[in-house]
Amino acid sequence: MNSPKHVAIIMDGNGRWGITNKKSRNLGHKEGLKTVERIIKSTIKNNIKYLTLYAFSTENWKRPYFEIKFLLNLLESFLNEKIDELNENGIKLKIIGDIKKFPNKIQFRLKSAQRKTDKNKKLLLILALNYGSKSEIINAIKSIKTKKIIINESTVDRFLYTKGIPNPDILIRTGNTNRLSNFLLWQLSYSEIFFVKKMWPDFNERDYKNIIEKFKKIKRNFGKI
Ligand code: IPE
Ligand code: IPE
Ligand code: MG
């Protein structure tokens, strides 16, 4: 039986959950953050070493300003309030995506959180922020070209944000939507994909455990028979 090393999650459905339950998309985002905390704990319990969470895409800038501002404030308060706890639990934080588009104080907090947790070994928590897979791949190819290195799978791997990180074994997308939305297109080429009908705030430890157990029973071929 295969145990997953790396789980990636597209945390979708906060807005719809918020409208249905609190008449506010933003309150859905706030509720979604509680699921994030529960799923991080559960990831450690299940002995999974890498967790990648899609928190903000390069396309999400198209949302109304007040929603973007709310998401940035949530991120900032998460960084202020939770980093010590993550650190005490042996969690190392890594950001993928172009954070230069974020306000300076958030960039500063993200960098200091990564520095602070750098030595931790229990779990690598990878947060995708202003992340877009197409721009990640284009940047990798540009760097390879300027450095005049040959282009092959392993050189492309080395120039992606995810350098050195094993590809996700499992991709979960909540929110009853079956698409990838520009997330890890290269890295997910052989991942097992689970689309979940529940909205992200309703996704719980049992749903997560069920997916892990299903994964363990899958015969992964990688082209072989
Ligand atoms: C995903 O939930 C969270 C982010 C994109 C930050 P959505 O905000 O996309 O929720 P829905 O899909 O509109 O319900
Ligand atoms: C994907 O969700 C991005 C994140 C979860 C951060 P979206 O809700 O933005 O995706 P689309 O636009 O519906 O495909
Ligand atoms: Mg959505």
Side-chain angles (χ1 to χ4, degrees), residues 15 18 24-31 66-68 70-71 74:
S24 146
R25 288 184 54 83
N26 283 346
L27 291 180
H29 292 307
K30 199 169 166 205
E31 194 69 24
F66 78 93
E67 183 167 337
I68 295 174
F70 189 89
L71 286 167
L74 264 190

Side-chain angles (χ1 to χ4, degrees), residues 40-41 43-44 48-51 82-94 113-114 116-126:
I40 292 173
K41 292 202 178 89
T43 303
I44 293 178
I48 293 162
K49 292 295 175 194
Y50 303 86
L51 174 67
K82 299 289 172 186
I83 287 306
D84 286 337
E85 193 183 323
L86 296 186
N87 201 20
E88 282 154 21
N89 287 304
I91 299 169
K92 174 173 172 171
L93 182 73
K94 179 181 171 68
Q114 290 178 96
K116 193 168 187 176
T117 59
D118 187 51
K119 299 275 181 300
N120 293 339
K121 297 261 185 285
K122 190 107 193 128
L123 171 73
L124 183 63
L125 173 62
I126 302 152

Side-chain angles (χ1 to χ4, degrees), residues 10-16 25 29 60 63 173-175 177 179 181:
I10 303 175
M11 309 182 287
D12 195 24
N14 289 345
R16 280 164 288 161
R25 288 184 54 83
H29 292 307
N60 288 146
R63 295 188 178 204
R173 180 176 188 141
T174 58
T177 304
R179 55 179 174 248
S181 303

